[in-house]
């Protein structure tokens, strides 16, 4: 069987309606992405504000004021303390995702979201009131714990609530909320940078409380998923909830499959130990490689430091923040492309097209920066060249926003069997946060030393990850979450890891069998 062959297993169609209840529930849950997105967008804008730099990072501010033309443009922002402000959040999120895994399994997805929202709220208050770097970084750590809880529980919640044929689109509400958060942050930074009196950065950081309040209040009113209720022994409640979200009293077949999955899950006392078994090898590898590759697309370089980057290549202060707003808009609108196509064209097609488009853009940006600044990093860019770079970065952001952005959260959250789902999602989040931390901590130093070669560095990873998807990821669209093992079993490489007893016979007593 060819490595890149698309596999689509026979799957059950449980029927049921797309109810307003499930749409609203998923919409509220997806707002968990707002806190992550706002935070991604806010730090880059704040760290390009002169007042903020002068107060907390005077050495960087001094370099920024040097307009003699002799300063290396690539190295102006190279400060480990400055990057610690940004990246401390991701270390905290990494650690918190493991605690969130236990909370999610024992108390349910809803409690995890509520916990994350409250802790994030405290962190945003501390950041807004910061008087020294210690307070800033402590606030970032609390924000990170909130992000770890939200990113661990929300994608799992969405995948469990959504019917199979709409799971991709509804799960991507999380990524859409991330992009809205980033755009809101960029707009806030653009506005607060103009505030007279030098406290605009405080407003930017404190406004993180708004998405935190939305998520916290939303989580209070959210119902638990049928899977979570079964996992905690509430069988009747689980059945009632399934009937409610499917808009149909006849849910016996789907409910029976959920019970079987839940019974199998209860036999697993140590999900962290069991996830290492060969039968879970495909899912484990994907939950490590997909978030790893997602970070090595280079997207966070653009999102964290868009204003810094645009300032470096010659845009003024206002123009740099405005350019970040433009990329934020592109990011948000391109996510709608993914929502509209993911359950029709599938996950693989979006991954592959996005990878090719990102690779082309990165190579061209690297070539232009190399020609304008050379290895020394001294020089300037014409307006036309700056606008070309802006266009290429927007095309790159669009490609990410309809491929690796949403799919990096969707695919890992939908492929795990219930018995190891919370552990699997914790691995996904922790790997994501670990490499987000590495990139955030190393980027400004890498920009200083690798110069324009940084774009070729990330381009190389984009090439590798596109080939990885082509050969190793089967198509998961329209496959009920309890039947994922069927597609792994049919895969040319992963099939040998999946035992026969892990396969659900989709033809037995099925009222409807889909023709996929």
């Amino acid at each position: 069987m060819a490595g890149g062959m698309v596999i689509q297993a026979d799957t059950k169609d449980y029927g049921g309606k797309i109810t307003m209840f499930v749409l609203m529930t998923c919409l509220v849950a997806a707002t968990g992405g707002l806190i992550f997105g706002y935070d991604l967008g806010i730090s880059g804008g704040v760290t390009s504000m002169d007042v903020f730099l002068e107060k907390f990072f005077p050495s960087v501010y001094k370099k920024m004021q040097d307009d003699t033309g002799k300063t290396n443009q690539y190295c102006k922002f190279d400060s480990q303390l400055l990057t610690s402000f940004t990246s401390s959040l991701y270390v905290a999120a990494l650690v918190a995702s493991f605690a969130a895994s236990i909370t999610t399994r024992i108390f349910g997805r809803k409690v995890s979201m509520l916990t994350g929202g409250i802790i994030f709220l405290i962190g945003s208050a501390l950041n807004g009131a910061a008087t020294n770097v210690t307070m800033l970084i402590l606030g970032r750590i609390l924000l990170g714990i909130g992000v770890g809880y939200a990113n661990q529980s929300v994608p799992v919640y969405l995948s469990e609530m959504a019917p199979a044929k709409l799971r991709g689109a509804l799960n991507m509400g999380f990524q859409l909320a991330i992009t809205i958060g980033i755009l809101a942050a960029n707009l806030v930074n653009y506005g607060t940078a103009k505030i007279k009196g030098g406290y605009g950065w405080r407003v930017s950081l404190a406004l993180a409380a708004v998405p935190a309040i939305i998520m916290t209040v939303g989580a209070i009113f959210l119902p638990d998923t049928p899977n979570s209720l079964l996992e905690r022994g509430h069988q009747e409640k689980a059945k009632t909830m399934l009937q409610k979200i499917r808009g149909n009293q006849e849910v016996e077949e789907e409910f029976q499959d959920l019970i079987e999955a839940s019974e199998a899950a209860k036999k697993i006392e140590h999900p962290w130990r069991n996830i290492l078994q060969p039968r879970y090898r495909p899912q484990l590898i994907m939950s490590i490689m997909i978030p790893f590759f997602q970070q090595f697309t280079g997207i966070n370089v653009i999102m964290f430091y868009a204003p810094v980057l645009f300032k470096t290549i010659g845009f003024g202060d206002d123009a740099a923040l405005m350019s970040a707003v433009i990329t934020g808009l592109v990011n948000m609108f391109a996510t709608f492309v993914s929502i509209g196509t993911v359950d029709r064209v599938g996950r693989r097609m979006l991954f592959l097209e996005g990878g090719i488009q990102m690779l082309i853009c990165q190579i061209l940006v690297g070539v232009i920066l190399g020609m304008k600044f050379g290895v020394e990093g001294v020089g300037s860019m014409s307006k036309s060249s700056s606008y070309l770079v802006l266009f290429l970065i927007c095309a790159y952001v669009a490609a990410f926003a309809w491929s690796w952005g949403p799919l990096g959260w969707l695919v890992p959250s939908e492929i795990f069997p219930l018995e190891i789902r919370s552990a699997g999602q914790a691995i996904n989040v922790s790997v994501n946060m670990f490499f987000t931390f590495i990139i955030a901590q190393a980027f400004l130093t890498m920009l200083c030393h690798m110069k324009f070669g940084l774009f070729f560095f990330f381009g190389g990873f984009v090439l590798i990850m596109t080939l990885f998807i082509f050969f190793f990821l089967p198509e998961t669209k329209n496959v009920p979450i309890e039947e994922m093992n069927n597609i792994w079993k049919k895969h040319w490489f992963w099939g040998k890891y999946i035992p026969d007893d892990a396969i659900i016979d989709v033809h037995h007593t099925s009222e409807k069998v889909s023709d996929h």
Side-chain angles (χ1 to χ4, degrees):
M1 189 183 290
M5 184 172 177
V6 179
I7 299 161
Q8 183 69 51
D10 286 340
T11 57
K12 290 181 189 175
D13 178 359
Y14 294 116
K17 295 177 263 184
I18 310 302
T19 61
M20 185 54 67
F21 178 75
V22 81
L23 286 174
M24 292 308 296
T25 300
C26 288
L27 191 66
V28 172
T31 57
L34 281 175
I35 67 173
F36 188 34
Y38 188 86
D39 209 86
L40 278 174
I42 212 73
S43 53
V46 166
T47 51
S48 71
M49 290 181 190
D50 287 347
V51 183
F52 180 79
L53 290 174
E54 190 177 10
K55 183 174 178 63
F56 295 105
F57 307 99
S59 63
V60 177
Y61 176 72
K62 195 175 170 187
K63 277 192 272 185
M64 284 306 303
Q65 298 311 303
D66 184 349
D67 54 4
T68 60
K70 294 176 183 172
T71 306
N72 188 325
Q73 290 295 314
Y74 295 117
C75 297
K76 280 189 170 183
F77 283 86
D78 185 16
S79 158
Q80 284 305 301
L81 189 61
L82 177 60
T83 47
S84 295
F85 162 69
T86 298
S87 58
S88 55
L89 180 144
Y90 303 100
V91 178
L94 187 163
V95 176
S97 65
F98 291 103
S101 162
I102 297 164
T103 308
T104 300
R105 193 166 192 237
I106 297 173
F107 301 106
R109 289 68 170 137
K110 172 179 166 165
V111 172
S112 266
M113 287 185 236
L114 194 58
T115 306
I118 292 167
I119 295 172
F120 194 92
L121 197 55
I122 299 166
S124 60
L126 199 57
N127 263 179
T131 54
N132 54 49
V133 174
T134 307
M135 275 182 80
L136 266 186
I137 292 177
L138 184 59
R140 293 285 292 173
I141 288 169
L142 289 172
L143 294 178
I145 294 170
V147 165
Y149 267 84
N151 287 11
Q152 201 281 337
S153 53
V154 173
V156 169
Y157 184 94
L158 292 170
S159 285
E160 290 181 348
M161 288 299 269
K165 57 190 167 190
L166 257 195
R167 190 175 60 244
L170 289 177
N171 194 294
M172 280 182 181
F174 180 67
Q175 177 66 19
L176 179 62
I178 291 176
T179 65
I180 292 169
I182 292 169
L183 176 62
N186 289 334
L187 288 167
V188 165
N189 280 334
Y190 186 68
T192 58
K194 298 179 184 302
I195 292 176
K196 300 284 188 285
Y199 62 88
W201 62 270
R202 287 192 188 279
V203 178
S204 288
L205 295 176
L207 280 175
V210 175
I213 289 167
I214 293 170
M215 177 177 153
T216 307
V217 173
I220 292 169
F221 295 102
L222 283 179
D224 260 318
T225 68
N227 310 63
S228 178
L229 289 166
L230 277 173
E231 200 171 30
R232 290 177 288 135
H234 305 302
Q235 194 159 317
E236 278 309 308
K237 282 185 184 175
K239 186 171 184 179
T240 305
M241 182 52 62
L242 188 63
Q243 289 169 333
K244 194 170 182 183
I245 62 179
R246 296 291 177 258
N248 189 349
Q249 294 302 303
E250 304 302 317
V251 295
E252 202 53 51
E253 190 179 357
E254 183 177 5
F255 186 62
Q256 205 50 50
D257 286 346
L258 288 180
I259 288 175
E260 285 172 23
S262 178
E263 291 304 318
K266 283 173 185 168
K267 290 174 187 168
I268 306 292
E269 289 180 22
H270 307 287
W272 290 102
R273 195 184 304 158
N274 280 278
I275 204 168
L276 299 174
Q277 290 178 8
R279 67 190 294 148
Y280 302 125
R281 191 67 42 82
Q283 296 96 326
L284 179 62
I285 296 295
M286 288 297 162
S287 71
I288 294 170
M289 296 310 293
I290 288 177
F292 166 77
F293 282 139
Q294 189 194 50
Q295 294 316 307
F296 277 82
T297 56
I299 187 64
N300 281 343
V301 171
I302 304 296
M303 287 308 168
F304 288 156
Y305 300 111
V308 173
L309 191 64
F310 289 128
K311 217 170 179 179
T312 299
I313 61 176
F315 290 93
D317 290 9
D318 268 7
L321 285 168
M322 196 62 229
S323 302
V325 170
I326 292 166
T327 55
L329 276 167
V330 169
N331 191 21
M332 185 182 78
F333 283 114
T335 304
F336 282 107
V337 174
S338 197
I339 289 172
T341 56
V342 67
D343 290 314
R344 285 185 290 140
V345 305
R347 284 64 160 152
R348 278 171 53 87
M349 181 63 76
L350 289 172
F351 264 134
L352 298 175
E353 190 284 331
I356 293 164
Q357 187 171 320
M358 283 192 289
L359 179 60
I360 293 167
C361 293
Q362 280 165 314
I363 290 169
L364 291 176
V365 169
V367 168
I368 293 167
L369 291 184
M371 287 168 63
K372 296 298 176 184
F373 291 122
V375 179
E376 297 302 316
V378 177
S380 60
M381 289 185 83
S382 64
K383 272 208 164 147
S384 57
S385 296
S386 294
Y387 287 130
L388 179 57
V389 169
L390 176 60
F391 170 77
L392 288 169
I393 285 177
C394 284
Y396 162 84
V397 168
F400 177 84
W402 62 56
S403 63
W404 280 89
L407 296 172
W409 294 107
L410 166 63
V411 173
S413 75
E414 69 181 359
I415 59 176
F416 280 101
L418 182 62
E419 64 266 23
I420 53 162
R421 193 169 296 153
S422 58
Q425 183 64 7
I427 290 171
N428 178 41
V429 173
S430 58
V431 170
N432 192 303
M433 292 301 146
F434 176 72
F435 286 104
T436 303
F437 164 72
I438 296 293
I439 297 292
Q441 194 66 27
F443 165 64
L444 293 174
T445 304
M446 288 167 78
L447 181 63
C448 182
H449 291 92
M450 295 174 73
K451 323 285 192 299
F452 59 88
L454 187 62
F455 289 91
F456 301 136
F457 171 79
F458 286 119
F461 275 101
V462 171
L463 177 61
I464 293 166
M465 65 183 72
T466 303
L467 291 172
F468 174 81
I469 292 296
F470 181 77
F471 287 110
F472 295 108
L473 183 71
E475 183 53 69
T476 56
K477 71 170 181 177
N478 299 334
V479 180
I481 231 173
E482 272 61 51
E483 295 173 29
M484 280 294 166
N485 275 329
N486 295 22
I487 60 165
W488 296 111
K489 185 66 175 176
K490 290 192 172 191
H491 190 269
W492 70 278
F493 181 79
W494 301 119
K496 61 180 177 281
Y497 292 103
I498 307 297
D500 292 338
D501 65 5
I503 304 303
I504 291 178
D505 180 5
V506 301
H507 298 291
H508 82 298
T509 66
S510 183
E511 292 172 15
K512 290 182 182 176
V513 178
S514 75
D515 58 0
H516 294 295

